[in-house]
């Protein structure tokens, strides 16, 4: 379903260059729960952003369903991000002036043209309510983010990520801003979604979170390392 090959990425830091990814390659199968694990600064968030076409690599390729993402025109990449990928971030990125329901509807608004939205708005609102019911927040549709707990905000973010029925869910430290109880609830939700067939790729530095995955790959200094090298103590876990 998803394949990255020889991904390199650097950023200019004043007169110097910071090399973040150094020839990373990985793949994810449809229906898989894949975790990318690494310490802060290892490049895992950068890699996730490239997998979802939020950022572009300096070198290398990403294929989704056999299509090379960075060979696509910009307009097609934007459609890919909106329709095929759902994003969940550590800090939710909900719009504070909108209600829970309105936040969830945002990707659907982007997906539709002006006339298409008015034609489909009733069905889309029902789909959003169904998604909020799925994450246990149907009773909160008229609340604003400031009225929710951290765990509830993350559930709204997950519902928003899923509103367009994406093939791939990318989660960047989705429990990193939550306490242990709320974090466990979010992990349970992601696990349930995966059991229902949702492909999930998640980055984390937490080995407890990583235990939920079908498979774990580890990043160290921008490179994929073998699991046995980490477990043997040759590299920091």
């Amino acid at each position: 379903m998803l394949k990255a090959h020889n991904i390199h990425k650097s950023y200019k830091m004043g007169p110097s260059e910071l090399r973040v990814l150094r020839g990373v390659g990985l793949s994810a199968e449809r229906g898989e729960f894949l975790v990318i694990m690494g310490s802060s600064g290892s490049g895992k968030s950068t890699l996730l952003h490239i997998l979802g076409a939020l950022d572009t690599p300096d070198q290398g390729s990403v294929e989704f369903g056999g299509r090379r993402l960075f060979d696509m025109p910009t307009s097609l990449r934007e459609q890919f991000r909106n329709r095929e990928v759902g994003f969940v971030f550590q800090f939710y990125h909900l719009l504070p002036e909108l209600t829970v329901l309105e936040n969830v509807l945002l990707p659907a608004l982007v997906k539709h043209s002006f006339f298409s939205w008015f034609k489909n708005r009733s069905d889309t609102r029902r789909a959003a309510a169904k998604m909020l019911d799925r994450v246990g927040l149907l009773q909160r549709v008229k609340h604003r983010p400031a009225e929710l707990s951290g765990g509830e905000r993350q559930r709204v973010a997950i519902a928003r990520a899923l509103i367009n029925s994406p093939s791939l869910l990318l989660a960047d430290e989705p429990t990193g801003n939550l306490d242990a109880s709320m974090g466990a609830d979010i992990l349970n939700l992601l696990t349930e979604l995966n059991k229902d067939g949702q492909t999930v790729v998640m980055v984390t530095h937490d080995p407890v979170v990583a235990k939920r995955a079908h498979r774990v790959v580890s990043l160290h200094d921008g490179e994929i390392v073998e699991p046995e090298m980490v477990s043997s103590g040759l590299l920091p876990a």
Side-chain angles (χ1 to χ4, degrees):
M1 178 184 186
L2 182 70
K3 184 177 182 180
H5 175 69
N6 194 34
I7 300 295
H8 290 260
K9 183 67 178 180
S10 299
Y11 295 99
K12 290 289 186 181
M13 305 288 286
S16 61
E17 184 178 72
L18 176 64
R19 295 183 66 194
V20 180
L21 298 175
R22 306 165 184 256
V24 171
L26 59 77
S27 62
E29 301 295 332
R30 191 172 299 276
E32 187 173 20
F33 193 153
L34 172 67
V35 160
I36 303 168
M37 193 172 177
S39 59
S40 179
S42 62
K44 57 188 186 297
S45 291
T46 298
L47 176 58
L48 198 76
H49 293 170
I50 289 173
L51 294 177
L54 286 174
D55 202 354
T56 57
D58 300 328
Q59 181 182 333
S61 63
V62 177
E63 295 181 16
F64 183 86
R67 296 175 295 167
R68 293 169 66 96
L69 296 184
F70 300 107
D71 289 346
M72 293 178 180
T74 300
S75 59
L76 290 183
R77 282 208 308 273
E78 290 171 350
Q79 286 185 15
F80 164 79
R81 284 196 301 267
N82 178 246
R83 300 178 183 183
E84 298 286 356
V85 186
F87 296 94
V88 181
F89 301 100
Q90 180 176 351
F91 294 104
Y92 327 126
H93 297 305
L94 302 177
L95 295 183
E97 65 273 19
L98 300 184
T99 65
V100 163
L101 181 63
E102 290 165 344
N103 269 285
V104 172
L105 285 170
L106 279 175
L109 283 167
V110 173
K111 179 180 178 180
H112 290 288
S113 67
F114 179 81
F115 292 106
S116 175
W117 167 251
F118 278 96
K119 179 181 178 181
N120 294 282
R121 66 186 185 277
S122 296
D123 289 342
T124 306
R125 284 179 175 273
R126 281 193 291 270
K130 183 178 180 180
M131 193 59 64
L132 284 166
D133 190 30
R134 177 73 176 81
V135 301
L137 287 177
L138 187 58
Q139 75 282 8
R140 297 285 208 167
V141 292
K142 295 183 180 180
H143 288 69
R144 287 183 167 78
E147 302 173 282
L148 307 179
S149 68
E152 288 173 330
R153 293 180 197 181
Q154 194 61 288
R155 286 175 176 268
V156 175
I158 292 172
R160 179 186 60 192
L162 296 173
I163 188 61
N164 285 341
S165 301
S167 303
L168 176 66
L169 184 66
L170 298 178
D172 189 356
E173 298 275 11
T175 63
N177 201 38
L178 304 175
D179 62 29
S181 177
M182 289 182 179
D185 286 344
I186 295 301
L187 280 178
N188 289 337
L189 176 58
L190 291 173
T191 301
E192 290 170 8
L193 290 167
N194 176 250
K195 287 180 179 178
D196 290 342
Q198 179 67 59
T199 306
V200 180
V201 178
M202 178 171 66
V203 303
T204 185
H205 66 276
D206 188 343
V208 174
V209 173
K211 289 180 180 179
R212 297 296 188 99
H214 296 145
R215 184 165 56 97
V216 178
V217 296
S218 296
L219 268 177
H220 177 73
D221 285 344
E223 297 180 299
I224 297 289
V225 297
E226 296 297 327
E228 57 267 23
M229 294 178 68
V230 177
S231 60
S232 67
L234 295 175
L235 292 170

